[in-house]
Amino acid sequence: MKILRKLAIGAAGGACLLALSTASLWELDRAFPPPLPAELTVSTEVQDRDGQLLRAFATPDGYWRLETRLDQVDKQFIDMLVTYEDKRFWDHEGVDVLALARAAGQFATSGHIVSGGSTLSMQLARLIEPRESRSLGSKIKQMLRAIQIERRLSKREILERYLTLAPYGGNLEGVRAASLAYFGKEPKRLTVSESALLVALPQLPEKRRPDRNLKIAHAARDRVLTRMVSAGLLGEREAARAALDDVAGLRRTLPALAAHAAYAMLPKAVPGQPLQLTIRKSVQEGLEQVARDAAAKLGPRLSVAMVLADSRTGDILGEVGSANFFDASRAGWIDMTKIVRSPGSTLKPFIYGLAFEQGLVAQETLIDDSPVDFSGYRPKNFDMGYQGDVSIRQALQLSLNVPAIRVLDAVGPTRLMARFHQAGVSPVLPVNEAPGLAIGLGGVGITLRDLVQLYTGLANGGKTHTLHDGTEPANAERTSATILDGQANWQIIDILSGVKPPEGALQRGIAYKTGTSYGYRDAWSVGFDGRYVLGVWVGRPDAGAVPGLSGYVSAAPILFEGFVRSGLATVPLPGRPPGVISPRREDLPVTLARFGAGSDGLVQATVTEPAPTIIFPPDGARIDLDTNSVDASPLVLKLQGGRAPFRWLANGKPLAGIDRRRTATWQPDGAGYSTLTVIDAAGRAASVKVFVE
């Protein structure tokens, strides 16, 4: 009985001692927690629309340390890492007693360290609290810290922190930075050879760096492969094939794309959260390469800027602010996509578009290209020559200046500027000056981004979208607006799609326009297919003159090459809208046969008030509106001359409302002949008879 009583007392005392020890350990654990910040200090990442890395910025202490999640890393690499470093990682509580016993036994029998007993949790403890020595006390501290870490983090979180912090030589930390630097790719799809090298490097990162000690790195990789065969993770043939792969003896720079946009994003940075742009990485890579190559050919001090946007959404998929961000000779730090410059002739399509809207011209309308004086303003063509009578189509395709100004005088510079403002673009006029005819030839300032925004309307059926790339404030307004009506828009597309590509360029089914500013300071080219718009600017950032610089010679080849290198599939240009015709010259009504000017140089349409004439549809036309469909399109009616307001009648029945515009729409009740009539404010009338199908 005495013995039993002593045993009971001893057991109780042991339990109390154990409880006290446990309580003490708990209290110590609370008093001295491991330094585990909620968020690691990692590199700020700027990603593309799909989450691919565009650019990273080093941490304040100068390290490339990219946050890593398990789903960003090849699973085979994880398996190899755990097998090589800590095969019972998923089972132990921070310390692998069996591994420690094995390591101690090997040390006792051989007199030196054969294998370590550190777990991944212990290695993480060493990474967050770098040790100053390899003493027994340091090892015990690591073990205790590992137990503390296991109590606070899941196995997945421990692995992710290790993969983010593990050293890989120099200022590379983490497997993502190492994979990008040594292999030029993210670690999502590593080869067996690459995985083995990344497993081997953290043990002796400086000694095994492949960019400095290639043979040692090669041997370390092979030892990992051999261990994987012994562990049954790899077959002998698979390991042998991996051992034949070369180890690249170089260190690449990390991705450094979209420099201007990336730096603009930095004020939005939140620790541990990547920043995202609308840019697509493959598009950006292609455009930047095109810009670098082009600048090298163009010569010193010249730069190139490019913007490629999706006209349906306003998303910027690629933007190049300069040919080389770090090239001081080209002022590469200046983002030329946002600098106001003279657009040359690139605004001409919108001048003609308004004329098509107002029924003033058709593609085959003749217009005089000869010297003219608009109250002291005497526009001249780029080549200082004149063509005489040309069609509107030829005038725009050849970018003749005099015809464009004649048409602008008719539609009105103020109306053109109002349409730009409606589309969310505000061109800059000279101080204290009202819109004048000079804006048609570049006498106004605009940025490349704004110019591309205007052209998104041409690619998108006349409807523009505010461009955005992700750098804008979160509350920035995104708007859409109509720059041209659908039928006028198609007429412009049809004309621009017939412009001859620059010499040596492939025809890619795009429509485009070029421009050259006064004094050969800026060369422009803007082109589009059925979805994407690409704008190119070439010039000197200091606005210096460049003899021989022109949109067609300098910028257009870059435009076509940019479309090719962007990797985007060409989207066909939109087809002819229902009810739109392009009559031959001999079929034009007399009022559209010639866009003439009086002896005073003013376009007659602006200074006379002839009787109204219906110019569309022409008399006797057969028009297919697909009237049997529930989505039948309305017919656009256009007139010339007359005094506003106007009233339209269809088969003697007035259409709703009285309009001051020279355009209207009519929805037929069905197929067959109809008579359309317009009456102006002076009581004068005009009629046409058409057949609707």
Side-chain angles (χ1 to χ4, degrees), residues 176-233:
R176 286 185 61 211
S179 182
L180 289 165
Y182 294 133
F183 311 135
K185 65 180 183 181
E186 292 278 358
K188 182 66 175 177
R189 291 179 177 83
L190 297 170
T191 66
V192 173
S193 172
E194 292 166 346
S195 294
L197 179 62
L198 293 180
V199 167
L201 286 178
Q203 288 82 43
L204 296 168
E206 293 302 323
K207 186 177 181 179
R208 295 176 178 176
R209 284 178 60 172
D211 59 323
R212 294 190 177 179
N213 303 298
L214 184 57
K215 289 185 179 180
I216 296 176
H218 199 286
R221 180 206 64 179
D222 290 348
R223 283 195 294 273
V224 173
L225 292 173
T226 300
R227 179 84 69 83
M228 295 304 103
V229 173
S230 300
L233 193 63

Side-chain angles (χ1 to χ4, degrees), residues 102-135:
R102 183 200 67 235
Q106 291 172 338
F107 179 79
T109 56
S110 64
H112 62 86
I113 297 175
V114 176
S115 64
S118 293
T119 62
L120 288 171
S121 304
M122 292 170 63
Q123 292 183 46
L124 177 59
R126 185 175 69 247
L127 292 173
I128 62 176
E129 285 185 303
R131 62 188 180 186
E132 298 178 358
S133 66
R134 297 173 61 90
S135 65

Side-chain angles (χ1 to χ4, degrees), residues 471-690:
T471 61
E472 302 81 13
N475 60 351
E477 185 178 6
R478 296 183 184 179
T479 61
S480 60
T482 298
I483 185 74
L484 292 174
D485 74 34
Q487 304 200 40
N489 194 77
W490 180 84
Q491 299 285 1
I492 299 301
I493 292 174
D494 189 51
I495 294 173
L496 294 182
S497 64
V499 178
K500 181 182 177 182
E503 185 177 354
L506 296 176
Q507 176 57 267
R508 284 181 52 84
I510 64 173
Y512 80 107
K513 182 73 182 74
T514 61
T516 308
S517 69
Y518 178 78
Y520 303 97
R521 290 176 170 82
D522 309 276
W524 305 82
S525 186
V526 190
F528 56 93
D529 60 15
R531 179 165 187 171
Y532 304 110
V533 182
L534 175 59
V536 176
W537 170 88
V538 177
R540 285 177 47 168
D542 63 0
V546 184
L549 187 74
S550 76
Y552 187 76
V553 173
S554 307
I558 300 174
L559 174 80
F560 278 77
E561 184 65 16
F563 267 113
V564 172
R565 297 292 289 273
S566 72
L568 297 171
T570 302
V571 179
L573 290 165
R576 186 194 303 265
V580 175
I581 61 173
S582 295
R584 296 174 301 176
R585 186 171 302 161
E586 55 267 29
D587 296 330
L588 290 172
V590 65
T591 53
L592 282 179
R594 172 176 290 276
F595 191 90
S599 59
D600 59 359
L602 297 178
V603 178
Q604 291 176 354
T606 65
V607 298
T608 63
E609 192 181 273
T613 303
I614 298 175
I615 60 172
F616 189 86
D619 190 38
R622 296 180 69 91
I623 301 173
D624 183 7
L625 294 179
D626 195 14
T627 54
N628 292 325
S629 170
V630 295
D631 297 323
S633 301
L635 177 64
V636 175
L637 312 176
K638 298 183 180 181
L639 68 89
Q640 190 175 46
R643 182 189 302 171
F646 306 100
R647 178 176 289 281
W648 287 87
L649 300 92
N651 299 318
K653 296 181 179 180
L655 302 186
I658 298 177
D659 206 331
R660 302 192 65 85
R661 298 176 299 174
R662 287 177 166 78
T663 60
T665 57
W666 168 56
Q667 186 71 59
D669 295 332
Y673 283 101
S674 293
T675 300
L676 301 171
T677 303
V678 65
I679 303 173
D680 75 350
R684 296 171 294 182
S687 298
V688 295
K689 191 173 184 179
V690 297

Side-chain angles (χ1 to χ4, degrees), residues 138-154:
S138 296
K139 199 73 171 179
I140 292 173
K141 183 177 180 180
Q142 284 177 28
M143 294 166 62
L144 294 173
R145 284 301 198 200
I147 294 171
Q148 288 182 298
I149 290 171
E150 291 269 352
R151 291 187 59 239
R152 288 167 170 80
L153 301 179
S154 68

Side-chain angles (χ1 to χ4, degrees), residues 31-71:
F32 301 100
L36 289 173
E39 297 289 344
L40 296 175
T41 301
V42 295
S43 296
T44 298
E45 295 183 44
V46 180
Q47 299 178 350
D48 81 341
R49 63 191 300 114
D50 301 315
Q52 296 189 69
L53 182 64
L54 289 172
R55 195 178 194 91
F57 295 90
T59 61
D61 52 356
Y63 282 88
W64 297 109
R65 184 186 304 129
L66 305 180
E67 186 171 19
T68 306
R69 302 187 309 273
L70 285 185
D71 59 9

Side-chain angles (χ1 to χ4, degrees), residues 25 39 50 59 84 154 297 319 433 445 449 463 472 539 605:
L25 289 174
E39 297 289 344
D50 301 315
T59 61
Y84 190 80
S154 68
K297 293 178 182 178
E319 55 184 337
E433 285 196 19
R449 276 183 63 149
K463 188 175 182 179
E472 302 81 13

Side-chain angles (χ1 to χ4, degrees), residues 302-472:
L302 281 165
S303 193
V304 177
M306 308 172 77
V307 174
L308 192 153
D310 185 337
S311 68
R312 300 178 188 176
T313 62
D315 289 353
I316 292 177
L317 302 181
E319 55 184 337
V320 181
S322 65
N324 186 334
F325 185 82
F326 296 104
D327 188 342
S329 68
R330 304 179 196 273
W333 61 86
I334 299 177
D335 184 355
M336 295 305 299
T337 69
K338 299 178 180 179
I339 301 300
V340 174
R341 304 298 283 259
S342 167
S345 298
T346 56
L347 300 181
K348 288 177 181 175
F350 304 100
I351 298 172
Y352 288 102
L354 290 180
F356 277 109
E357 269 191 13
Q358 297 175 37
L360 299 179
V361 298
Q363 288 197 33
E364 293 303 320
T365 298
L366 290 178
I367 189 167
D368 184 24
D369 178 32
S370 62
V372 66
D373 186 334
F374 292 92
S375 302
Y377 178 56
R378 301 178 180 88
K380 296 179 175 60
N381 287 326
F382 185 75
D383 61 1
M384 306 303 290
Y386 298 93
Q387 303 286 325
D389 279 351
V390 294
S391 68
I392 290 294
R393 182 180 181 89
Q394 292 170 325
L396 180 53
Q397 288 183 343
L398 297 174
S399 196
L400 301 176
N401 290 343
V402 173
I405 298 305
R406 289 185 186 275
V407 175
L408 179 58
D409 187 52
V411 301
T414 301
R415 179 173 294 174
L416 179 66
M417 290 291 286
R419 195 63 64 92
F420 291 159
H421 285 288
Q422 180 178 314
V425 172
S426 299
V428 179
L429 290 166
V431 178
N432 297 325
E433 285 196 19
L437 296 179
I439 66 175
L441 304 182
V444 68
I446 196 170
T447 68
L448 177 59
R449 276 183 63 149
D450 282 349
L451 189 61
V452 170
Q453 181 166 317
L454 292 178
Y455 272 75
T456 61
L458 296 180
N460 192 43
K463 188 175 182 179
T464 63
H465 288 282
T466 303
L467 295 193
H468 52 273
D469 60 6
T471 61
E472 302 81 13

